[in-house]
């Protein structure tokens, strides 16, 4: 393999973000106002076939990316094979009475280093992997804070917060 530990973790964090964002995209499919009005008038509030196909395509793509990442995960985090098998066994025992639902990739546990008990880091993870994950997460948090600060300093936000007339577009 030609992927460094940092790149491996970066892909894992991207997958985790996609898992979080994907259900939101499914919930908030945006329509034009006229399309929304047409649907409400016709009594259609469900998703169209095209929207269902788009959701399934996104799920398939995410599932394939997770499957490819799992191959690398065995190299960097061999303990995950055991932990995932234990979790699957416990989950199947707990859900024996439930109907067979198709697992969704956005609900699949990725088993990043932070998900592995610290007592297993020394034997089950590549050296320094947990620390690298913490550094990457800290860098992501710093970037997010910088973006929030930048957005708050923009003139449009200042006008919105300071002058209520700009909120609705009507002077009261």
């Amino acid at each position: 393999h030609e992927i460094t530990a940092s790149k491996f973790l970066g892909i894992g964090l991207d997958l985790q973000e996609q898992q979080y964002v994907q259900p939101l995209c499914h919930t908030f499919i945006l329509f034009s106002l006229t399309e929304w009005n047409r649907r409400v008038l016709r009594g259609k509030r469900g998703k169209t076939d095209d929207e269902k196909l788009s959701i399934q395509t996104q799920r398939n793509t995410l599932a394939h990316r997770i499957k490819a990442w799992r191959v690398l995960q065995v190299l960097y985090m061999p303990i995950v094979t055991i932990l995932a098998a234990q979790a699957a066994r416990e989950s199947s025992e707990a859900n024996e009475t439930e109907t067979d639902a198709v697992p969704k990739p956005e609900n699949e546990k990725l088993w990043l280093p932070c998900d592995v008990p610290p007592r297993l880091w020394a034997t089950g993870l590549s050296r320094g992997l947990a620390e690298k994950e913490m550094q990457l997460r800290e860098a992501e948090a710093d970037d997010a804070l910088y973006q929030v600060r930048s957005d708050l300093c923009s003139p449009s936000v200042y006008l919105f917060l300071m002058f209520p007339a700009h909120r609705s577009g009507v002077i009261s």
Side-chain angles (χ1 to χ4, degrees):
H1 69 93
E2 296 181 12
I3 293 185
T4 64
S6 296
K7 180 71 174 171
F8 162 75
L9 288 171
I11 293 169
L13 294 175
D14 287 344
L15 289 172
Q16 189 176 52
E17 183 176 341
Q18 286 177 15
Q19 284 182 313
Y20 175 74
V21 170
Q22 194 164 3
L24 294 177
C25 292
H26 299 169
T27 304
F28 300 108
I29 293 179
L30 301 176
F31 306 103
S32 68
L33 189 55
T34 54
E35 175 64 20
W36 180 255
N37 287 334
R38 269 189 254 139
R39 283 176 174 231
V40 170
L41 290 174
R42 283 190 261 145
K44 287 180 82 177
R45 293 197 171 99
K47 294 178 177 72
T48 66
D49 289 341
D50 287 342
E51 292 163 352
K52 289 177 185 176
L53 179 63
S54 174
I55 290 169
Q56 190 57 49
T57 302
Q58 290 172 0
R59 280 191 175 136
N60 290 344
T61 302
L62 181 57
H64 288 297
R65 290 192 68 208
I66 290 172
K67 187 176 179 182
W69 187 72
R70 293 274 187 227
V71 172
L72 293 172
Q73 192 175 35
V74 171
L75 298 172
Y76 286 104
M77 303 174 63
I79 193 70
V80 168
T81 307
I82 297 167
L83 294 173
Q86 287 174 348
R89 190 171 42 254
E90 290 169 5
S91 175
S92 67
E93 289 171 1
N95 297 330
E96 282 180 354
T97 58
E98 291 184 17
T99 60
D100 290 332
V102 177
K104 297 177 182 173
E106 59 265 30
N107 298 334
E108 188 175 338
K109 188 166 184 170
L110 292 178
W111 291 99
L112 289 163
C114 64
D115 297 322
V116 175
R119 61 184 165 72
L120 299 175
W121 287 358
T123 57
L125 303 179
S126 292
R127 183 175 308 208
L129 198 64
E131 292 79 13
K132 285 179 183 166
E133 181 193 12
M134 286 187 244
Q135 290 171 351
L136 285 171
R137 287 188 183 274
E138 186 176 341
E140 280 185 340
D142 287 343
D143 290 346
L145 287 172
Y146 178 79
Q147 187 62 47
V148 168
R149 280 189 224 109
S150 297
D151 290 346
L152 287 174
C153 291
S154 79
S156 61
V157 171
Y158 176 76
L159 287 174
F160 181 79
L161 293 174
M162 298 305 291
F163 300 101
H166 290 281
R167 291 182 194 165
S168 64
V170 178
I171 298 176
S172 49

